[in-house]
Amino acid sequence: MSDLPSLPVTFRPGRTRAILLTAGVAIFVTISGVALLLEQLGPGEKLSFVITGALIFWVLAQLARVKVVADESGVTVVNIASKRRLEWAEILQVNLRPGDPWVFLNLSDGTSLPALGIQPGIAKQRAIADAKALRALAEAHTIHDPEQHQG
């Protein structure tokens, strides 16, 4: 299949990531600048402003780190607070239905794993194309056994 992206490939919401990181830097610089400009604040209070700005930046950076990395042996899903490695055989289905906030991976253990690295928020067409590419990769790397599908 020539339509498959070459591996390894990383899927991430590029525009959303840029907005989150830019906002994080702007908020950190603004809060830190205000702390330094307010002469009536003591050193501890100024430090608390800077720490608050750094904490806000860290939270936005965590939101921006989401991605899905596909390679020859499987997929790594990095979400906000977790990272999970999957073998191709574990992925039964890649879903992005209308209204879904992100892709869901249906897994062989009966669970569904959200993959926040592909989300239609700002760039809907890009997310749809990424979901189709991941679906095609999953199908290409899965061994289909016709006996398995007979009830």
Side-chain angles (χ1 to χ4, degrees):
M1 288 184 178
S2 60
D3 292 356
L4 293 177
S6 57
L7 296 176
V9 61
T10 300
F11 302 104
R12 65 173 23 141
R15 290 183 190 161
T16 302
R17 178 179 165 84
I19 290 168
L20 288 169
L21 293 175
T22 301
V25 168
I27 290 168
F28 175 73
V29 168
T30 302
I31 290 176
S32 298
V34 166
L36 297 176
L37 292 173
L38 292 175
E39 295 175 8
Q40 69 269 27
L41 295 180
E45 293 168 314
K46 288 182 181 188
L47 180 62
S48 71
F49 269 69
V50 172
I51 289 172
T52 300
L55 183 60
I56 291 170
F57 174 79
W58 179 81
V59 168
L60 293 176
Q62 290 301 106
L63 292 171
R65 76 188 270 263
V66 299
K67 63 184 175 181
V68 177
V69 181
D71 59 34
E72 288 297 335
S73 62
V75 174
T76 302
V77 177
V78 179
N79 287 332
I80 296 167
S82 66
K83 179 178 179 179
R84 184 163 174 195
R85 177 72 185 164
L86 300 166
E87 299 300 318
W88 285 113
E90 293 178 80
I91 302 171
L92 300 180
Q93 194 173 26
V94 177
N95 286 318
L96 181 59
R97 295 174 300 256
D100 280 351
W102 39 71
V103 162
F104 288 91
L105 305 177
N106 290 341
L107 306 178
S108 59
D109 66 1
T111 64
S112 182
L113 176 68
L116 279 62
I118 303 175
Q119 50 183 265
I122 296 173
K124 184 176 182 179
Q125 294 309 313
R126 166 76 187 266
I128 292 169
D130 288 351
K132 286 179 179 178
L134 183 59
R135 182 179 300 127
L137 285 168
E139 289 172 358
H141 285 87
T142 301
I143 299 169
H144 293 286
D145 181 3
E147 301 273 327
Q148 217 175 24
H149 298 290
Q150 293 178 352

